[in-house]
Amino acid sequence: MKNTSFIKTIIVVLTIVLAGTFNSEVSAQSSKKQKYKVAVCDWMILKRQKLGAFGLASEIKADGIELDMGGLGKRLTFDSKLGDPIERQKFLDKSKELNVGISSIAMSGFYAQSFAKRDSINLMINDCVATMKNMKVKVAYLPLGTESDLTKNPELRPIIIERLKWAGKQVGKIGGVIAIETSLNATEEKKLLEEIGCKHIKSSFNFANAVDNGRDIATELKILGKKHLAQIHASTTDSVWLENDKNVHMPKIKKALDEMKWTGWLIVERSRDVTQVHNVKANYGANVAYLKKIFQN
């Protein structure tokens, strides 16, 4: 009887130890930092600067959101509630509660507004940088958009470079980066970044720019290089989901990024199925799932 009792005790102890070891391994694996994380644009999931963006992102299993600064219109600066400490804390609390990160702070107002010509650029950039600092986000997204398209308006290049050099100094004060999206090919965008000459101004590479102009995504990424790449908008113009897009060879793209030793956020902006373009959960859920399947498995 004593031997039986002793053996039972040994079995219980071993079970506890093994369980603890297994749990530690699982914990270590789950806490291991992902090389690539997947986010969605809050304005594209119809949750621009709304707390609900975190819940929806969590529901479709995204790792984060790209949080917008709000609209511009004819205002001097962005229509943002993130300058209010109480409102801002609500966003930070919700991010922590749902374990949904903030990939970057977006200035999407510049899709249609002119970065080259607006008078109050200093105020806008400083508001964005202050938001980055207060929310501990290191990247801001700046699309140069239709009004500052350097392919169609090359005469704007000097003023854009001048303004980006200044903006780089401001974001550099907090150790951050402004990631610009242009219509240029990778070779020309690299030249632009080198002319700006500031490590705090980098590229936000958009799959759509390459695909819409018949360029290979992986090749463009390699030309641009790790040094110049801050984040990726990993989607194309609306047509089909990423997994069904014959112009997007995702394993090849991952291989290129792996070889570059780049790490960072892949952000879904579009690639909506045009037959169900308003179905947010279906479109973004499918694209997030596909990116995670390729980049996180």
Side-chain angles (χ1 to χ4, degrees):
M1 291 295 291
K2 287 183 179 180
N3 286 339
T4 301
S5 178
F6 177 74
I7 291 170
K8 286 181 178 179
T9 301
I10 292 295
I11 291 172
V12 170
V13 170
L14 285 172
T15 300
I16 293 171
V17 170
L18 289 172
T21 302
F22 175 75
N23 288 335
S24 296
E25 289 175 352
V26 170
S27 177
Q29 290 171 359
S30 63
S31 64
K32 186 179 179 181
K33 187 176 181 181
Q34 285 286 355
K35 185 176 180 182
Y36 304 104
K37 291 185 178 182
V38 180
V40 291
C41 304
D42 70 347
W43 67 94
M44 290 303 299
I45 60 170
L46 309 181
K47 299 287 184 183
R48 174 185 269 180
Q49 215 172 100
K50 293 180 179 178
L51 288 174
F54 293 100
L56 182 52
S58 177
E59 189 176 345
I60 62 176
K61 303 189 184 322
D63 301 313
I65 64 170
E66 186 168 56
L67 178 60
D68 195 46
M69 278 294 289
L72 268 176
K74 295 182 179 180
R75 304 174 189 87
L76 290 176
T77 189
F78 302 99
D79 183 21
S80 174
K81 63 181 74 171
L82 301 175
D84 181 333
I86 295 175
E87 291 297 318
R88 183 171 62 240
Q89 192 59 46
K90 292 177 183 177
F91 282 79
L92 293 171
D93 290 344
K94 185 62 68 174
S95 173
K96 184 177 181 180
E97 174 193 340
L98 297 178
N99 193 30
V100 173
I102 300 172
S103 64
S104 41
I105 303 295
M107 294 180 272
S108 75
F110 284 110
Y111 278 124
Q113 297 283 329
S114 177
F115 180 76
K117 296 179 180 179
R118 283 295 300 256
D119 292 331
S120 54
I121 286 294
N122 291 15
L123 177 60
M124 297 171 192
I125 293 296
N126 283 331
D127 281 354
C128 181
V129 170
T131 299
M132 294 169 69
K133 179 181 179 180
N134 290 326
M135 301 191 83
K136 294 181 172 58
V137 177
K138 290 297 184 182
V139 177
Y141 167 57
L142 171 62
L144 292 184
T146 56
E147 296 297 314
S148 295
D149 185 333
L150 287 172
T151 302
K152 296 178 180 178
N153 305 290
E155 73 280 0
L156 297 178
R157 188 181 182 99
I159 184 64
I160 287 174
I161 288 175
E162 179 185 331
R163 289 187 167 193
L164 286 174
K165 283 183 176 182
W166 176 86
K169 291 178 182 178
Q170 307 318 304
V171 77
K173 294 174 183 177
I174 65 165
V177 168
I178 292 177
I180 62 170
E181 179 181 310
T182 78
S183 61
L184 302 171
N185 62 39
T187 300
E188 291 303 315
E189 186 157 297
K190 185 176 179 179
K191 287 180 182 177
L192 175 69
L193 293 171
E194 289 174 345
E195 191 172 345
I196 294 166
C198 176
K199 66 180 181 180
H200 300 289
I201 302 293
K202 296 189 178 185
S203 172
S204 177
F205 182 88
N206 193 328
F207 284 3
N209 184 36
V211 171
D212 291 347
N213 291 284
R215 298 190 285 264
D216 180 70
I217 296 171
T219 301
E220 290 285 281
L221 285 167
K222 288 180 179 179
I223 291 171
L224 194 58
K226 175 183 176 181
K227 175 183 175 182
H228 297 296
L229 185 60
Q231 65 172 27
I232 296 173
H233 270 211
S235 56
T236 61
T237 303
D238 292 330
S239 175
V240 295
W241 292 343
L242 281 168
E243 62 194 88
N244 300 321
D245 194 331
K246 295 179 181 179
N247 295 306
V248 180
H249 308 287
M250 206 66 79
K252 180 182 176 182
I253 294 167
K254 180 180 184 296
K255 184 174 183 291
L257 291 171
D258 285 346
E259 290 174 353
M260 290 163 58
K261 300 189 185 311
W262 183 83
T263 63
W265 285 92
L266 307 169
I267 303 163
V268 182
E269 183 182 357
R270 293 187 180 272
S271 285
R272 296 175 293 186
D273 184 335
V274 291
T275 65
Q276 51 175 333
V277 72
H278 298 299
N279 192 332
V280 172
K281 290 182 182 179
N283 285 306
Y284 290 93
N287 287 325
V288 165
Y290 181 60
L291 284 169
K292 296 190 99 173
K293 175 185 175 182
I294 300 298
F295 284 89
Q296 293 185 357
N297 284 347

